[in-house]
Amino acid sequence: MILLLDIGNSRVKWGVLADEGRISGVASRSLGGHGIGGIAESCWSSFSPTRVIASNVAGSNLAGELRGWVWATWQQEVEFLVPTERAYGVTNAYRDPSRLGADRWAALLGAARRPHGHLCVVDCGTAVTLDLLSADNVHLGGLIVPGRRLMRDSLVTGTAGVRYTWGAEAVLLACDTGSAVAGGALYATIALIDRVVADLVEEFSAPVTVLLTGGDGALLLPLLAGTVEYEANLVLHGLAVTAGV
């Protein structure tokens, strides 16, 4: 039993990897700005993993807290994924490979295990990241923009008159400020992905499939043009690759 942890900026997702390579028991919790100890104690203390493999983009303090809890509970070290120049048949485009986000690297490793041509791997979470993976598993670079929530928050905190009510409906032509903000953030995300993919198709003179993951992935899936696939647990699948199962 291997515990896989996808620790993002706002949420942690986990799953259990069995000997046959199947990931089960996938669940997630909001970090809520309170660290990871409470989640670990309430959700994982009954587990008995042989290994703990993690992707972490939430910072060194949280990583230290997780290390301490895992050692105290199971007397094990956490295996944090560190991006490298090349691993598991995937080549990293970054000049300093270690500076690529661990979640982006894990997503690329997971995507590479699927039959594919050119893939635009889009992770829609707190930030939206887009990474192009070639048909021969070479990472060709990518982009990072704020996710929908960050877009909304930046308007609320950076302006005097804009207010957003949680749950406001995203519509094309809004008649209240909350809906205008929600719709604007949604359309900005859709337009970005569609335009980037269109430019990639022109650049490489080849089809490009969008592979969506992240918290907003299911929402965006029916709204995008072109060929789009969805894998909710892509980062966990990438961590499973590093487990060698």
Side-chain angles (χ1 to χ4, degrees):
M1 172 185 172
I2 301 173
L3 179 60
L4 306 174
L5 304 176
D6 171 14
I7 306 168
N9 291 290
S10 58
R11 299 186 70 81
V12 56
K13 177 183 283 188
W14 64 91
V16 173
L17 180 63
D19 289 340
E20 65 274 15
R22 182 175 57 87
I23 299 173
S24 62
V26 175
S28 67
R29 293 289 186 278
S30 171
L31 289 170
H34 302 303
I36 204 166
I39 296 172
E41 192 63 37
S42 62
C43 298
W44 310 333
S45 58
S46 63
F47 293 174
S48 299
T50 54
R51 296 168 67 187
V52 180
I53 303 176
S55 162
N56 173 44
V57 297
S60 57
N61 289 340
L62 188 143
E65 182 183 4
L66 178 63
R67 280 194 186 97
W69 188 89
V70 168
W71 182 259
T73 306
W74 298 315
Q75 292 72 58
Q76 292 188 40
E77 296 287 349
V78 181
E79 301 173 42
F80 287 104
L81 179 64
V82 177
T84 56
E85 182 176 359
R86 183 175 174 82
Y88 308 100
V90 180
T91 301
N92 188 335
Y94 263 38
R95 296 183 182 91
D96 179 356
S98 66
R99 296 296 297 170
L100 181 69
D103 54 347
R104 292 170 68 190
W105 184 233
L108 288 166
L109 296 180
R113 289 300 180 267
R114 306 165 67 97
H116 67 88
H118 283 344
L119 278 180
C120 185
V121 181
V122 181
D123 192 337
C124 304
T126 303
V128 175
T129 62
L130 300 91
D131 287 285
L132 186 66
L133 184 68
S134 73
D136 54 355
N137 290 333
V138 176
H139 174 221
L140 299 175
L143 300 171
I144 305 172
V145 297
R148 290 191 312 128
R149 178 174 294 181
L150 281 182
M151 290 188 208
R152 298 191 303 249
D153 290 350
S154 69
L155 280 171
V156 171
T157 59
T159 61
V162 175
R163 295 291 180 267
Y164 172 76
T165 302
W166 183 257
E169 184 181 6
V171 296
L172 175 57
L173 296 174
C175 296
D176 64 87
T177 301
S179 295
V181 171
L186 178 61
Y187 270 95
T189 305
I190 296 166
L192 168 77
I193 297 170
D194 282 347
R195 177 57 188 266
V196 167
V197 172
D199 286 353
L200 290 173
V201 169
E202 183 175 350
E203 176 74 17
F204 293 100
S205 300
V208 176
T209 297
V210 174
L211 178 56
L212 280 176
T213 192
D216 280 342
L219 171 68
L220 298 177
L221 178 61
L223 304 176
L224 295 171
T227 304
V228 186
E229 300 175 3
Y230 175 61
E231 174 49 70
N233 304 315
L234 189 60
V235 171
L236 295 182
H237 283 287
L239 293 176
V241 170
T242 73
V245 176

